Structure formats: structure tokens, C-alpha cells
Amino acid sequence: MNAPVSPGPLRLTSFSHGGGCGCKIAPGVLSEILKHSSRLPVPPQLLVGIETADDAAVWQLNDEQALVATTDFFMPIVDDPFDFGRIAATNALSDVYAMGGRPIMALALVAMPIDKLPLDVVQRILEGGESVCAAAGVPIAGGHTIDSVEPIYGLVALGLVHPKRLKRNADAQPGDRLVLGKPLGVGVLSAALKKEQLSPEGYAAMIASTTRLNTPGVALAQLDGVHALTDVTGFGLLGHTLELCRGARVRARLSRSALPLIEGTAELAARGFVTGASARNWAGYGHEVQLGEGLSDVDRALLTDPQTSGGLLVACAPTAVGEVLDVFRREGFESAAEIGEFVIGEPGVEVQR
């Protein structure tokens, strides 16, 4: 008689059809869904709403304080439950930092297939999120749970910002330089992980990037030379740069050679480890992008690669680039780099070698 075969280790990613910010509805589909949505009256206290697809809503409380409110959640991008919780929480808090705000409180959003996942796995996911919120000095003050067919975790994140230091995604100016805070490549690494082709070093680099809080946003908001701020997530670098362009009615020029990449991602992309979200991103906004001579399909995959808990994207005056990079360096973001500029022109992005 053959001995029974013991089941392999539980893989969280096997429960979901997509992972991390790659779960986002494709930009073209999202635009179609929202184009007929009704526009309600906007009270003057609502400083930021849905008009420019910004990172969070902002409501002015008084002359000194405005409330930043956002939510973000997704399916697992990794199999380790503690790491999944950390990544999801870091990603959700990033939207507060991307407005120049400081997080003050969070609510947990938890949807789990209770009949399939052991309770200790669910507990580890929550512990991962709690560890990130503790590092940010943020209490998880409540939340909501449901029984779901796929595991989903995230946060409602609330923060405060001075109304005059609020950084929108729509205020870039011609002549501004563009600075990226984190290297690209998370989607590529996640694709390799899902196919069990990611090295331990690659996994460590992925976790280090996705669990690093975008705390420089608080200090960047204090710089007069910083005009616009967002973070790079599911729509990739091109998609979120386009949001800056559309909001400010400017054109961006990016340098492919200046882009910081997580080590090994270009090689993995060349081997075909790209996400389906990358192709959906290009299908949604590729008509607004001009790729220069010599750029390959691999370059395009990296430019559209969905970033889970990606870096801050900063539009600043040329004279402020040094200060912006200093802020990043002081907080341990050694890969931060100037990657392009904004010019007068039709909203869109040009990418040169």
C-alpha cells in the first residue's frame, strides 16, 4: 500500500486570481466605468475629491488642519501571511504620505475564506498589518470583517495635513523635475514568485521595498519647491505620471536609463516574468505615451509594471531637486533618483533611452 501524500505548504497566492496592486481594475476599464458617474455638489471644505484621481480625499477641519482619508486593499501578492499583512498595510498608509499627511489612525478591512484558511494564518495577516501600523505610530481602531471566496486585506487610513502644505497630484509646473523614491520591479518579482522562480535574494528585495513606509512624504510637504506628489502603484510608472500630466495639463519626458530598478528585475522581465496587469495598463493608456527609438518590449514592461506599495513620485522645481533627494537619503531611500521633467505640451509622456 502506498503511503498517503502529505499536502504541500499552504500558498496564499493560490487563493486569488491576482495579487497586490496588480488587482486594480485596468485604467481603460475604470475610465469607462466612471465616465457616467454623477457629480454631486462639492462643499468648499472638500479640498481634494475624485476630480484628478488623487491618492486620497482631503477635508479641511480648520485653518491649521485638514483630514486625509483613503482606503486600499487587495489579494495576496506573497504566500507568507505576515508579509502579506505588512505589504497591504504599508501600501494603504502610503496614500496619506503621498498627500503630504501624517497618518493618525487606521481601520482594518478583512475578507477571508474562513472555510479554507486556518485561523492562525488569518491572525498572522492581521499581525503583519499591526506591526506596520505600530512602526508608523498608528493605532488600528476598528474595522470590518466578512467571509469571502478570496483573501483580501487592507486598511482605511486617516491622517492630518496643514491645508497650506497639502500636496495634490495636479500642481506640477512646466520646468519641474520628476523624482522617484523607490526602484521599480515589484510586479516582475511577484510574477516570478508566483511561478516559483524567484530567488531568496529577490524575495528579500521585494519585501524590503514593499514594506518600506513612504515617510519622506511628510518632510517633502514642507518644501516650497515641491509642487505635486503621488505614489506609483497599480498603474505603473507611466500610468501615475500620466495622472500628474493630466491634472496639471503638462507633458512629461522620462529617461529610461535614469530609472532605478530593483536588482535583477530587467533580467527577469526579459525571461517573460511580467504580470497581466502590465499589458492591461498599456492597453489603457499606451496611446498617450511616445516610446523613443531603441526601447524594447522589456522596457515597456518595466514602465507599465504594477507597483505594490511603490515609491513616491515628486514634481519639484529644478532648484529643489537636491533638497528632495536629501530628504529621501536621510530616511534610507538610497535608490531615489531624478528621472525626467515636465514641459509645456499636450498631456502625455515621452520616454527616451
Side-chain angles (χ1 to χ4, degrees):
M1 176 183 289
N2 293 329
V5 178
S6 60
L10 183 145
R11 297 196 68 196
L12 272 181
T13 53
S14 69
F15 290 90
S16 58
H17 72 280
C21 286
C23 298
K24 278 189 173 184
I25 294 176
V29 177
L30 183 60
S31 296
E32 189 66 23
I33 292 171
L34 296 178
K35 73 178 184 180
H36 297 303
S37 62
S38 60
R39 295 291 186 262
L40 298 175
V42 178
Q45 296 94 334
L46 185 63
L47 302 181
V48 180
I50 64 173
E51 46 289 320
T52 62
D54 219 324
D55 297 290
V58 182
W59 182 275
Q60 185 163 355
L61 300 173
N62 51 54
D63 290 343
E64 302 292 322
Q65 294 176 313
L67 179 68
V68 182
T70 184
T71 185
D72 214 313
F73 50 87
F74 46 61
M75 281 88 78
I77 188 175
V78 295
D79 293 312
D80 183 275
F82 188 77
D83 285 344
F84 170 43
R86 293 168 67 204
I87 294 168
T90 306
N91 181 73
L93 292 176
S94 179
D95 285 339
V96 176
Y97 293 122
M99 305 303 297
R102 186 182 300 277
I104 58 169
M105 184 175 72
L107 306 174
L109 301 173
V110 184
M112 296 290 157
I114 296 301
D115 61 331
K116 297 182 178 69
L117 282 185
L119 292 184
D120 64 319
V121 170
V122 178
Q123 289 167 348
R124 286 294 285 166
I125 293 170
L126 301 187
E127 288 169 3
E130 290 166 359
S131 73
V132 166
C133 288
V138 175
I140 296 181
H144 186 62
T145 60
I146 63 168
D147 191 355
S148 169
V149 296
E150 292 183 289
I152 297 171
Y153 177 70
L155 300 175
V156 173
L158 301 175
L160 292 174
V161 66
H162 193 290
K164 292 183 178 179
R165 289 298 174 185
L166 167 66
K167 299 300 178 183
R168 300 173 174 85
N169 71 351
D171 295 328
Q173 301 175 13
D176 276 356
R177 301 299 193 261
L178 198 57
V179 176
L180 177 62
K182 288 184 184 181
L184 303 173
V186 170
V188 169
L189 297 177
S190 71
L193 177 67
K194 197 151 191 177
K195 295 180 181 179
E196 301 185 63
Q197 295 297 309
L198 186 62
S199 68
E201 295 78 15
Y203 184 79
M206 177 182 172
I207 297 302
S209 179
T210 54
T211 60
R212 183 180 291 277
L213 287 162
N214 276 323
T215 52
V218 178
L220 291 171
Q222 305 306 311
L223 301 180
D224 292 335
V226 171
H227 299 144
L229 197 58
T230 190
D231 61 356
V232 180
T233 55
F235 297 153
L237 176 64
L238 288 180
H240 293 285
T241 301
L242 279 166
E243 288 178 344
L244 295 177
C245 292
R246 296 183 196 119
R249 305 298 300 173
V250 294
R251 193 168 185 82
R253 290 176 178 162
L254 303 182
S255 168
R256 162 63 185 86
S257 60
L259 299 182
L261 300 176
I262 298 174
E263 186 175 354
T265 51
E267 293 78 8
L268 286 170
R271 291 168 55 194
F273 294 108
V274 295
T275 68
S278 179
R280 293 193 296 272
N281 283 341
W282 183 255
Y285 55 62
H287 62 285
E288 298 177 81
V289 179
Q290 181 181 333
L291 295 180
E293 210 172 314
L295 292 174
S296 66
D297 290 344
V298 171
D299 294 318
R300 190 178 75 180
L302 293 169
L303 289 160
T304 57
D305 189 49
Q307 302 304 290
T308 299
S309 189
L312 293 175
L313 194 57
V314 187
C316 65
T319 54
V321 170
E323 288 181 286
V324 169
L325 290 173
D326 284 346
V327 168
F328 279 118
R329 302 281 190 266
R330 283 199 303 269
E331 301 204 29
F333 289 72
E334 299 299 330
S335 296
E338 181 182 349
I339 63 169
E341 64 178 347
F342 290 101
V343 297
I344 297 172
E346 185 71 18
V349 180
E350 302 170 13
V351 187
Q352 299 301 322
R353 191 72 194 151

